[in-house]
Amino acid sequence: MYSNYLDLIEYLEKYAAEQNIDCIWCDTCPDYVPCSSSKDHVIFMNINWCYPLKLPFAFAHEIGHVIHGDQHTTAKTKLAKKQEKAADLYAVGLIWGYCLKMEIDPMTCGIPTRYI
């Protein structure tokens, strides 16, 4: 794991709580993908997810969905693609802001390289 991993998770948990978003950490199979419910203001994260280094970005991404009021869908519609991109960009901004605040290199915080 990268050096800022746990601090970033803690920052995101605090940020979510400040936005009145609950986070439930599940201990389930590695295939269970993080998801959220905007209606209920809750995010479900999986501590056993098969991509552990992507957890902070996925967490920030799900925060973006809740903030934007997105409805969970598995459809590949134009709207769904637009919502996914918006949630990604929200996550980038949230994590980048953390990096600036903590004076650390954004490359050490799990932002996908396609956004750097």
Side-chain angles (χ1 to χ4, degrees):
M1 288 188 207
Y2 45 89
S3 61
N4 304 305
Y5 184 87
L6 294 176
D7 291 338
L8 178 53
I9 292 285
E10 185 177 315
Y11 171 82
L12 293 170
E13 287 177 330
K14 182 178 177 185
Y15 180 85
E18 289 170 354
Q19 307 305 313
N20 296 314
I21 300 170
D22 293 323
C23 180
I24 298 172
W25 288 90
C26 304
D27 185 359
T28 188
C29 70
D31 294 335
Y32 182 84
V33 178
C35 62
S36 59
S37 169
S38 297
K39 178 183 160 221
D40 298 318
H41 267 240
V42 65
I43 295 169
F44 299 94
M45 297 296 296
N46 178 9
I47 61 171
N48 295 318
W49 192 31
C50 57
Y51 304 106
L53 292 179
K54 294 182 180 182
L55 277 172
F57 189 81
F59 191 0
H61 173 97
E62 294 304 326
I63 291 171
H65 278 308
V66 175
I67 294 292
H68 295 143
D70 297 340
Q71 298 303 312
H72 178 71
T73 181
T74 57
K76 300 294 182 192
T77 65
K78 285 183 182 180
L79 176 60
K81 290 178 184 178
K82 183 178 177 181
Q83 288 178 347
E84 289 303 311
K85 176 93 175 198
D88 276 354
L89 294 176
Y90 192 92
V92 169
L94 188 55
I95 293 172
W96 202 280
Y98 167 81
C99 292
L100 290 174
K101 180 178 177 180
M102 302 306 292
E103 298 181 351
I104 55 177
D105 181 358
M107 295 294 288
T108 66
C109 289
I111 297 173
T113 55
R114 68 182 178 273
Y115 292 116
I116 294 181

